[in-house]
Amino acid sequence: MKAIITGMNGTVAPVVAETLQRHGIEGIAWNREQVSTTNEEEMREFIERIRPDYFLHIGMGAVEWAETLARLCGEANIPFLFTSTVSIFSDEVTGPISPDTLPDAEDDYGKYKRECERVIVNANPGAQIVRLGWQIGDEAGSNNMMDYFTNEMKQRGVIQASEHWYPSCSFLADTADALFEILTKRGPGIYQLNGNANYSLYDIAVGLKELHDTDWQIECTDEPKRDNRMIDSSVSIRPISKRLNLQTK
């Protein structure tokens, strides 16, 4: 079996490709230097030549690209999964955030992902849209929480982490496992993945410091006060507490 995957130069897609490979699904990258993201006929030809069993649109790109990919996969009856984000919700939305909560983000990134969701649903009612939280990698060097904390230490000499901010987040490997489960065993619809039930950013920072035995200096702060936790009873993902030594709350 085969799956075309966009975003293989990013954070999430390479880990998803490894997970698919373990399950006997070959991940084939959409190489933008070789395959157009604007020429529909070229896109169609690539999809028809590969004849994938699945398509995962994880990479960034124009809204029109996402719409075309979704439509082409719908026409060819290829299961199509798009990774969206908790950032489609503004900080004014207080969790728990259900799949039915109205997206309201007005920043550029949030509005971009909102528009992608809209055009994909219209172009391909059979698509799967999966909203992800802040990803936790094993090290710095990519767009994940470990990278954020590491850079904070380098730039400020201290990590300021609020005990009143409850982010949606999950470990990359657990996200990939959950995406595989949704892709292969779930139907069309909107799904939300969050492995953080009740821990603050400060709790998580302390847990990651212990897990990786770092020399981070962590300062507990009162701000910001946010609850960005998504919930979705239709899917499951491994809780972050299974990897971090966090006290039960």
Side-chain angles (χ1 to χ4, degrees), residues 13-214:
V15 182
V16 172
E18 292 175 2
T19 298
L20 294 181
Q21 188 67 46
R22 291 200 310 271
H23 291 279
I25 302 173
E26 178 188 2
I28 298 172
W30 186 292
N31 187 332
R32 302 187 200 199
E33 295 183 359
Q34 299 176 356
V35 186
S36 175
T37 62
T38 58
N39 185 306
E40 181 172 329
E41 288 309 309
E42 190 172 328
M43 288 187 265
R44 185 192 303 273
E45 188 279 330
F46 178 66
I47 292 172
E48 290 178 347
R49 175 161 51 86
I50 299 300
R51 299 177 64 185
D53 299 279
Y54 303 101
F55 197 112
L56 296 95
H57 186 31
I58 302 175
M60 296 285 289
V63 172
E64 292 78 13
W65 184 36
E67 181 178 27
T68 302
L69 292 177
R71 178 167 48 79
L72 292 175
C73 287
E75 293 171 357
N77 293 316
I78 299 167
F80 181 86
L81 184 151
F82 171 73
T83 54
S84 187
T85 172
V86 68
S87 296
I88 62 170
F89 303 106
S90 74
D91 291 333
E92 303 305 312
V93 174
T94 300
I97 303 170
S98 75
D100 295 327
T101 302
L102 184 67
D104 66 338
E106 290 297 333
D107 63 287
D108 289 344
Y109 180 62
K111 288 173 66 175
Y112 159 71
K113 285 290 191 175
R114 286 176 57 190
E115 184 65 7
C116 283
E117 287 195 12
R118 186 187 70 80
V119 300
I120 287 170
V121 168
N122 289 337
N124 183 350
Q128 296 172 321
I129 292 174
V130 187
R131 295 167 178 164
L132 308 181
W134 199 349
Q135 296 303 294
I136 306 173
D138 291 327
E139 58 187 4
S142 62
N143 184 25
N144 69 75
M145 191 181 289
M146 281 294 295
D147 194 57
Y148 170 78
F149 286 144
T150 300
N151 286 334
E152 284 290 290
M153 273 300 301
K154 287 180 179 178
Q155 295 173 11
R156 303 174 184 272
V158 64
I159 295 170
Q160 295 183 326
S162 173
E163 63 176 345
H164 301 295
W165 179 7
Y166 297 88
S168 276
C169 58
S170 55
F171 280 84
L172 272 167
D174 300 330
T175 296
D177 286 340
L179 287 174
F180 168 77
E181 183 79 10
I182 293 170
L183 180 68
T184 59
K185 299 180 181 179
R186 304 288 179 172
I190 294 176
Y191 301 91
Q192 301 191 146
L193 295 179
N194 168 38
N196 179 29
N198 50 11
Y199 296 100
S200 70
L201 188 64
Y202 174 75
D203 296 328
I204 298 167
V206 172
L208 288 171
K209 175 181 178 177
E210 180 177 335
L211 177 66
H212 295 289
D213 191 25
T214 70

